[in-house]
Amino acid sequence: MARRTPLNEAHRKLGARMVDFAGWDMPVQYSSVIGEHEAVRNAVGLFDVSHMGEVEFSGPGALETVNALISNDLARISDGQAVYAGLLNEQGTFVDDIVAYRFSPERIFICVNSSNREKDFAWMKEHAKGVKPVDRGDDFAQIAVQGPKAGGLVQRLTKTDTSKIGTYRFAEGEVAGVKSIISRTGYTGEDGFELYCAPDDAVKLWDALLTEGQQDGVKPCGLGARDSLRTEMKYALYGNDIDDQHTALEAGLGWIVKLDKAAFIGKDALVAQKAAGVKRKLVGFEVTGSGIPRHGYAIHKDGKPVGEVTSGTMGPSVKKPIGIGYVPAELAAEGSTFDVDVRGRPVPAVVVKTPFYKKP
Amino acid sequence: MADSIPGDLKYTKEHEWARVQGKVVVVGVTAHAQESLGDVVYVELPKLGATITEGKQFGVIESTKAVSELYSPVTGTVVKVNDALADNPSTVNTDPYGAGWIVEVELSDPKQVDALMDATAYSNLLKSA
């Protein structure tokens, strides 16, 4: 039996098509993936992301403990700020990708992927030297409010001055009378918030956002739109673009790896890889022939397999078939060409600058 | 949806339809099929003059998320393909029984359409699913 978020009943009432996602019964779409995608690009969309996991480290030394577990640096940010980071293993490949919230040096809150929740917690428990993690996954529901009108919508429902919450910053407050962590983060490339609240309050918050958002053209959005939105931004998805087989440097996520900070798991491997040269890279490409690249399709050069597509779709906003995949470093430069093996048919593709989608 | 199944077409259990016009049939996918697929973004069509076989794959239909095979309801030669789907694949969603048709096939044996389901049988299939 798949797990259900507190909003499961609300999704069904809205006519969502439900699918099993990482053991959770989740909405993949309500009306149309493209319609929901466009609502987020042009107005505002709501996503139930309550399936995401949360882990908290509290007590003296919390910051140092977490910093030894993740690739980014919590010492470089302020209280009230968050960072995207890799939770890496000794090989410098991914256990998961996470967002770490710094409430204070003694309280760090981490959001992890639903599919990795148990694995991550076990990993953190085993490797945490100092403060022990607490699994808080059952204590939070999470709603993502994303799109150019997200700021206005959330502001009308809260007394917290959201203009003071910059990108990748957060505040604690009330939204629609619901105690929330109001975080200016998201996975769509648009302005927006991720609101964490108690599971019992989730329906109240969801309904208030839907009602108040009518004037903005708000749409509830499913996993389908979430995937096409993030693909257009070349945001990595664990299990597709990043995993325990590819290092953070190969994934093009060097910017979340602070090799000059104190030791963290995976650092030595990445320092060595950087010195030796990264031999394969995750690139974004556009298909110039006819076909849509999909996860798992082979990438060929001169008829020989050289890499693999990790994500691909017809980009609803870029209106082109786009893909993400690993290729040898010599094919990673913008303008490099190769073929995607679309069901046995070679379809030409070219490496392009990402994100694929740029605000008009 | 089930209430919009045209009475003058034949159907397969894979949710294709066939409009019989003498020796030629027009083939498409049903409203139920397009609804399950979601937004259609690409249709891979067979070549003009290709021979396609009943129950065998003759093309591919892709939605934002999924890749699905198209199975031919009949055996015969492709005499027309709906090239307009290259530019407007979403026509399959908006008009599955009309402008969203996929191919026209000249039947190798006109009697083979007798084996296909009629609207009532197809409607029952959807109800039992």
Side-chain angles (χ1 to χ4, degrees):
Chain A
M1 178 82 177
R3 300 169 81 169
R4 296 180 165 204
T5 76
L7 294 167
N8 191 277
E9 206 46 49
H11 301 318
R12 289 169 183 279
K13 273 191 214 148
L14 288 164
R17 186 179 303 160
M18 307 298 286
V19 294
D20 182 88
F21 178 79
W24 290 79
D25 186 48
M26 297 298 288
V28 65
Q29 69 173 68
Y30 297 81
S31 45
S32 121
V33 172
I34 293 174
E36 292 160 27
H37 179 111
E38 285 170 352
V40 173
R41 286 275 180 257
N42 303 316
V44 56
L46 297 188
F47 298 85
D48 176 12
V49 279
S50 303
H51 60 315
M52 304 290 278
E54 291 85 14
V55 180
E56 196 169 311
F57 290 78
S58 285
L63 187 149
E64 291 75 16
T65 303
V66 177
N67 243 2
L69 293 173
I70 67 171
S71 64
N72 214 326
D73 192 356
L74 288 166
R76 289 187 201 197
I77 62 168
S78 319
D79 294 349
Q81 216 173 339
V83 287
Y84 177 57
L87 182 67
L88 306 178
N89 59 32
E90 286 82 357
Q91 290 75 47
T93 66
F94 288 86
V95 177
D96 201 4
D97 61 331
I98 59 127
V99 175
Y101 294 81
R102 175 172 157 164
F103 283 81
S104 75
E106 299 195 357
R107 185 178 169 213
I108 309 294
F109 180 88
I110 294 178
C111 180
V112 305
N113 280 302
S114 57
S115 55
N116 293 332
R117 183 174 152 186
E118 279 78 20
K119 178 185 75 173
D120 289 0
F121 185 67
W123 176 270
M124 291 179 193
K125 215 164 101 177
E126 189 190 336
H127 292 89
K129 290 187 183 115
V131 176
K132 289 293 167 197
V134 178
D135 186 348
R136 298 208 57 198
D138 293 336
D139 300 334
F140 290 95
Q142 196 192 143
I143 298 169
V145 191
Q146 300 281 300
K149 295 189 175 174
L153 168 56
V154 171
Q155 187 60 78
R156 293 198 302 276
L157 291 169
T158 183
K159 291 190 181 115
T160 302
D161 182 357
T162 60
S163 71
K164 299 225 165 73
I165 308 174
T167 306
Y168 262 72
R169 289 176 186 271
F170 62 96
E172 290 176 281
E174 280 191 2
V175 180
V178 168
K179 194 168 174 274
S180 307
I181 301 168
I182 307 166
S183 170
R184 201 159 209 136
T185 47
Y187 195 48
T188 63
E190 299 298 325
D191 184 23
F193 293 90
E194 292 176 309
L195 307 173
Y196 296 80
C197 69
D200 287 349
D201 292 335
V203 171
K204 185 181 171 191
L205 181 57
W206 176 265
D207 286 347
L209 288 161
L210 269 186
T211 306
E212 179 62 32
Q214 289 304 313
Q215 57 183 286
D216 305 302
V218 72
K219 274 194 185 178
C221 302
L223 295 170
R226 192 168 165 80
D227 194 54
S228 57
L229 288 157
R230 72 94 195 163
T231 302
E232 285 186 336
M233 296 307 295
K234 195 177 172 255
Y235 290 160
L237 172 64
Y238 190 90
N240 277 39
D241 315 296
I242 53 174
D243 54 28
D244 59 6
Q245 301 299 311
H246 298 88
T247 71
L249 298 180
E250 290 168 348
L253 292 172
W255 63 276
I256 64 166
V257 177
K258 301 292 187 269
L259 293 176
D260 55 347
K261 76 165 187 179
F264 63 92
I265 302 171
K267 180 180 172 180
D268 295 347
L270 295 176
V271 167
Q273 187 179 42
K274 197 174 179 186
V278 180
K279 303 231 165 18
R280 59 180 175 181
K281 285 184 179 161
L282 190 67
V283 297
F285 61 86
E286 272 176 23
V287 162
T288 50
S290 171
I292 299 175
R294 301 281 184 179
H295 174 71
Y297 286 6
I299 289 173
H300 288 186
K301 183 69 181 176
D302 303 325
K304 291 191 188 74
V306 294
E308 196 176 62
V309 177
T310 54
S311 289
T313 192
M314 176 67 89
S317 300
V318 300
K319 302 195 190 311
K320 284 176 195 163
I322 53 172
I324 302 169
Y326 283 98
V327 296
E330 59 270 23
L331 286 179
E334 206 181 319
S336 294
T337 57
F338 48 73
D339 294 324
V340 176
D341 180 25
V342 177
R343 299 179 293 275
R345 193 165 51 89
V347 174
V350 59
V351 176
V352 296
K353 199 168 172 205
T354 52
F356 298 102
Y357 176 74
K358 285 153 204 96
K359 275 263 159 219
Chain B
M1 293 307 290
D3 55 10
S4 63
I5 297 169
D8 59 337
L9 305 180
K10 298 280 196 176
Y11 299 89
T12 70
K13 61 180 192 313
E14 280 85 23
H15 310 287
E16 282 91 17
W17 56 259
R19 176 176 289 119
V20 184
Q21 300 171 337
K23 278 172 67 183
V24 169
V25 298
V26 186
V27 174
V29 300
T30 66
H32 172 82
Q34 67 78 20
E35 164 102 11
S36 324
L37 284 163
D39 301 310
V40 174
V41 292
Y42 186 75
V43 184
E44 194 176 292
L45 299 162
K47 289 203 167 60
L48 212 57
T51 302
I52 63 175
T53 307
E54 183 266 319
K56 294 276 179 358
Q57 188 190 337
F58 73 96
V60 173
I61 191 162
E62 298 196 37
S63 64
T64 38
K65 280 296 277 178
V67 180
S68 307
E69 296 178 334
L70 288 165
Y71 296 99
S72 179
V74 293
T75 297
T77 308
V78 176
V79 293
K80 232 186 218 182
V81 296
N82 190 356
D83 292 323
L85 295 180
D87 291 329
N88 293 300
S90 62
T91 312
V92 173
N93 293 118
T94 52
D95 193 7
Y97 299 114
W101 66 278
I102 293 170
V103 289
E104 266 186 40
V105 183
E106 190 171 309
L107 299 172
S108 58
D109 172 9
K111 286 203 190 81
Q112 56 182 297
V113 295
D114 298 344
L116 297 171
M117 280 184 273
D118 63 15
T120 309
Y122 181 62
S123 170
N124 288 337
L125 175 88
L126 292 186
K127 279 178 205 150
S128 67

